[in-house]
Amino acid sequence: MNKTPDDLHNRVTNKPMRDIIADRSRRSFLKSAGATLGAVAAQGFVGSLFSTQAYAKAAQSSLQFTELTRIYDKMHHVADGYKADVVVAWGDAMKAGQEAFDPTKIDAATQADRFGYNCDFIAFMPLPRGSQTSDHGLLCVNNEYVSPNVMFADMTEDEAGAKMTEAQVALCNMAIGHSIVEIIRKDGVWSVVQDSPLNRRITLDTPMTISGPAAGNAHLKTSSDPTGTMAKGTTYNCSGGVTPWGTVLTCEEGASDTFGGVTEGNPEAAVLERYGYDGSDYYGRARFDARFDMAKEPNEPNRFDWVVEIDPYEPNSTPVKRTALGRMSHEASTVVLNKDGRVVVYMGDDDYFEYVYRFVTEAKYDPANPASGKDLLDAGTLSVARYDADGTLTWLPLTHGTAGLTADAGFADQSDVVRKARLAADILGATPMDRPEDMETNPVTGRVYAVMTKNKKITQDKLNAANTRPENLWGHIVEMIPPGGAGVDADHTAEKYEWDLFVLAGNPKDPTTGSTFSPDTSENGWFVNPDNLTFDPKGRMFVSTDGANDFDIADGVYGVDTEGPARGLPKLLFACPIGAEASGPCFTPDGTTLFVSVQHPAENAETLDKAETLWPDFKEGGLPRPAVVAIQRNDGAEVAS
Ligand code: FEO
Ligand code: CA
Ligand code: CA
Ligand code: CA
């Protein structure tokens, strides 16, 4: 579509794209173009809105910092006027009297009380509980997986599963899950309170309760748990969320790599296949523990791929797998307290052509009584998203007995619906997406954003209105607009929202990408492969990326306006060292610190001796270590203010 004076007018008068769509109507545009053209037309239309720079005055970002010049080397880098200090790294001590990390001494026993590997989602939980303290709190961090090729000598990524010793596998099992560390800021420097009684590791061995509809389902029963209600451990903890009652949700993003053994003869073979369980035993676990051998424990996989609720303020509490939120490769579980008191959780299922989900609790939460949050996530309505070309988003309920989710279709009851959520969503006609990663709500506008990181498998015939580029190597961000108004007025329980494509990522200089950043985006500002999101207290988006190394640029963190003249204009704030992705961005309540996980530094190396960085210690004979950094302004003021 050619640009028109109307396009120009809309952009320079700061008209939100929602209004542009309502007024000029993508709907009528698409109708006139014909429904079958929806996918391509939507892309062309949005693209045209961003291609008016020849006529427009350069937009000014509201993010007040001097953009980092793009750089990709063995160090991390942050914009001028800022510092990015390591707060806690893999192997760091979390108990009184422990010595500093020594790579030659680390084993499963020592790892059990030390910070885990490959940090991802971060929640800053203020101390005391319920406060808005920004100098003291619990850093709750997912430890998604391990990178044996840069943890051990002579170990390529491909051979690790077969080659690791029992001791190495045991160490890896202790290094994943979740880490809770008390941290405190003094004179602008964050440090771990090493002897805090609240410090805690959660691993592949930690006992967990299974609750909600799938608890006790026959397909969750194993030889060690004939009741199907007590699981052991968690893995692939990717992104997550925080509840209004002060618990952390950690997402299990698919345990399929964790299992070995054949699925042949398993009556649930089709379900295992849909969830990617191919017996790859990528981490060698099945060789040493029958629990991970699907031939011996065919139901064990069903006890993973859930959302797990952890109370970080109660170090002896038992984590709970909340099955009402469905079983999938959970990336995110962003929580919103709706204006009517019901609690809403948005979730992405990070796999090719998987879906975006929403859960709405049946009961209401009473902020005056935090105990009312207990078990609130066990009952409610799970729905899956269908994005129509006319700009309407419809949430389709995954409710047993409705819309074909019946015994005849293989769903005996709601426990089967949540356990096989992907298959149920197929029946409902949900929109297949380009790998949904994080979701986040803008606290100021109430709009919800879902990140599609990339999808190399999508071909022309599989495009749809919300996933518009064949072989999408760059990713995009979808914007969802609940009805009811901005901020707290937004109704996150409505059946229908409006939606839009916020940005299509990619290098704007390369027209084959079709990227749609603001035309005023700099050489340093564009990004690829968005993964995690967060918002600052002013409602500006911060995006972390995973995959930019394939484009020979660093993964990092970008601030982006979602409103105003600079909507869709990213600015580079932080760059990772070689091989690392940035993940888990999280602000303190006052916006003065942005915590970021630097995950898998040097992981691109074939073997440890070829590691291009030993970040962050750079010690001869040492190891690269994933770590959480704290980004702060040198003067201590709010980030980007
Ligand atoms: Fe763990 Fe989807 O990244
Ligand atoms: Ca991720
Ligand atoms: Ca997030
Ligand atoms: Ca990712």
Side-chain angles (χ1 to χ4, degrees):
M1 185 186 175
N2 294 326
K3 62 189 170 224
T4 66
D6 274 352
D7 291 329
L8 172 66
H9 176 74
N10 284 329
R11 205 183 89 80
V12 297
T13 55
N14 179 22
K15 202 159 190 180
M17 190 168 297
R18 174 177 53 176
D19 298 338
I20 294 169
I21 287 163
D23 291 351
R24 301 187 60 257
S25 186
R26 175 167 56 180
R27 247 155 264 157
S28 58
F29 171 73
L30 290 174
K31 273 180 193 154
S32 67
T36 54
L37 287 175
V40 176
Q43 179 192 353
F45 178 74
V46 174
S48 72
L49 292 169
F50 288 94
S51 54
T52 54
Q53 71 268 44
Y55 307 98
K57 205 174 122 209
Q60 294 298 313
S61 171
S62 77
L63 293 140
Q64 298 297 309
F65 64 88
T66 305
E67 188 170 42
L68 178 65
T69 301
R70 211 181 276 293
I71 181 166
Y72 182 41
D73 65 12
K74 64 181 184 175
M75 309 288 293
H76 69 275
H77 301 272
V78 69
D80 267 356
Y82 287 76
K83 58 180 181 173
D85 301 328
V86 172
V87 180
V88 61
W90 169 49
D92 277 355
M94 290 170 52
K95 286 280 178 290
Q98 280 178 337
E99 292 169 7
F101 176 77
D102 180 345
T104 64
K105 286 188 185 156
I106 189 118
D107 59 15
T110 48
Q111 178 68 72
D113 291 327
R114 287 172 178 270
F115 194 76
Y117 205 85
N118 277 342
C119 36
D120 201 304
F121 173 75
I122 302 169
F124 177 83
M125 306 297 283
L127 284 168
R129 182 177 199 143
S131 73
Q132 291 288 299
T133 311
S134 291
D135 296 323
H136 188 199
L138 298 174
L139 205 60
C140 304
V141 185
N142 281 346
N143 300 113
E144 186 177 22
Y145 68 102
V146 285
S147 307
N149 59 314
V150 286
M151 295 167 77
F152 308 118
D154 303 320
M155 186 81 69
T156 67
E157 191 181 349
D158 289 342
E159 65 192 11
K163 191 173 173 183
M164 277 193 286
T165 64
E166 186 166 8
Q168 287 172 327
V169 171
L171 163 60
C172 291
N173 293 350
M174 280 294 128
I176 57 173
H178 193 82
S179 301
I180 299 167
V181 287
E182 183 176 337
I183 58 169
I184 194 158
R185 176 166 58 179
K186 282 186 184 140
D187 301 326
V189 177
W190 286 99
S191 59
V192 171
V193 180
Q194 192 179 327
D195 60 355
S196 169
L198 297 173
N199 291 348
R200 181 181 187 186
R201 279 304 319 285
I202 289 163
T203 72
L204 196 55
D205 278 354
T206 305
M208 315 218 159
T209 306
I210 300 170
S211 75
N217 179 291
H219 295 287
L220 270 73
K221 295 176 178 174
T222 64
S223 60
S224 66
D225 173 28
T227 68
T229 60
M230 281 302 298
K232 198 176 161 193
T234 186
T235 186
Y236 266 102
N237 304 82
C238 195
S239 194
V242 172
T243 69
W245 48 95
T247 60
V248 171
L249 302 181
T250 175
C251 290
E252 298 182 332
E253 197 195 9
S256 55
D257 285 354
T258 287
F259 283 79
V262 293
T263 57
E264 217 170 276
N266 187 319
E268 294 268 291
V271 181
L272 288 164
E273 188 187 349
R274 184 74 169 80
Y275 280 80
Y277 285 76
D278 58 3
S280 59
D281 194 20
Y282 197 79
Y283 298 101
R285 291 176 180 133
R287 289 191 289 128
F288 305 110
D289 187 344
R291 180 157 75 106
F292 298 111
D293 183 339
M294 291 185 289
K296 293 174 182 150
E297 288 291 355
N299 287 342
E300 185 69 18
N302 291 317
R303 296 146 69 82
F304 290 96
D305 309 351
W306 301 104
V307 172
V308 184
E309 184 172 9
I310 299 169
D311 185 346
Y313 296 100
E314 295 290 343
N316 297 316
S317 59
T318 304
V320 185
K321 298 203 175 190
R322 298 288 182 193
T323 65
L325 278 60
R327 180 166 180 260
M328 63 196 77
S329 287
H330 281 285
E331 170 87 15
S333 50
T334 294
V335 183
V336 182
L337 179 56
N338 201 55
K339 59 184 172 182
D340 68 352
R342 286 183 287 170
V343 172
V344 179
V345 188
Y346 291 104
M347 299 173 285
D349 181 356
D350 183 5
D351 212 335
Y352 300 99
F353 306 109
E354 291 299 344
Y355 306 124
V356 167
Y357 294 82
R358 181 187 73 175
F359 179 79
V360 180
T361 59
E362 194 176 289
K364 295 177 178 177
Y365 174 66
D366 174 10
N369 175 26
S372 64
K374 184 172 159 38
D375 300 331
L376 201 60
L377 299 178
D378 280 346
T381 303
L382 179 67
S383 303
V384 66
R386 190 187 70 217
Y387 299 86
D388 288 329
D390 67 356
T392 306
L393 158 59
T394 304
W395 292 105
L396 309 165
L398 296 162
T399 303
H400 183 258
T402 69
L405 303 179
T406 60
D408 287 347
F411 302 94
D413 52 23
Q414 187 64 18
S415 74
D416 271 352
V417 172
V418 296
R419 184 174 64 83
K420 301 188 282 189
R422 285 180 169 180
L423 289 89
D426 291 346
I427 291 173
L428 266 60
T431 302
M433 308 296 283
D434 286 350
R435 289 190 50 201
E437 297 233 38
D438 206 359
M439 297 184 70
E440 208 67 51
T441 301
N442 185 324
V444 175
T445 66
R447 295 181 184 190
V448 185
Y449 296 84
V451 173
M452 305 306 130
T453 196
K454 59 183 165 186
N455 183 358
K456 65 183 178 209
K457 296 184 183 177
I458 192 166
T459 45
Q460 192 74 34
D461 56 315
K462 290 186 173 143
L463 300 182
N464 57 55
N467 301 273
T468 57
R469 292 181 292 179
E471 197 186 1
N472 177 6
L473 300 176
W474 317 281
H476 60 283
I477 301 177
V478 178
E479 179 177 64
M480 296 176 274
I481 307 157
V488 294
D489 290 328
D491 181 5
H492 294 273
T493 67
E495 181 200 4
K496 290 188 189 293
Y497 295 8
E498 289 179 74
W499 71 273
D500 195 5
L501 294 169
F502 173 54
V503 289
L504 306 182
N507 184 349
K509 285 262 171 76
D510 176 358
T512 64
T513 68
S515 77
T516 62
F517 291 116
S518 159
D520 300 314
T521 301
S522 83
E523 275 294 309
N524 304 301
W526 59 268
F527 59 76
V528 289
N529 307 134
D531 189 328
N532 291 164
L533 296 178
T534 197
F535 283 87
D536 74 2
K538 293 185 168 71
R540 284 93 57 89
M541 178 189 279
F542 286 75
V543 179
S544 64
T545 70
D546 168 20
N549 295 179
D550 290 344
F551 298 81
D552 293 322
I553 59 174
D555 276 313
V557 178
Y558 300 77
V560 196
D561 284 307
T562 62
E563 305 297 314
R567 176 180 155 93
L569 196 169
K571 283 177 72 175
L572 178 59
L573 175 67
F574 175 80
C576 283
I578 288 179
E581 73 169 270
S583 54
C586 168
F587 279 98
T588 48
D590 66 0
T592 60
T593 295
L594 175 61
F595 297 105
V596 176
S597 285
V598 175
Q599 193 186 90
H600 56 72
E603 190 193 51
N604 55 328
E606 188 185 6
T607 47
L608 179 58
D609 57 320
K610 297 189 177 115
E612 292 172 88
T613 183
L614 292 178
W615 188 89
D617 310 314
F618 300 103
K619 276 191 192 145
E620 185 127 356
L623 298 172
R625 293 201 292 159
V628 175
V629 298
I631 297 173
Q632 299 178 85
R633 260 174 67 158
N634 289 333
D635 64 5
E638 198 174 333
V639 171
S641 63

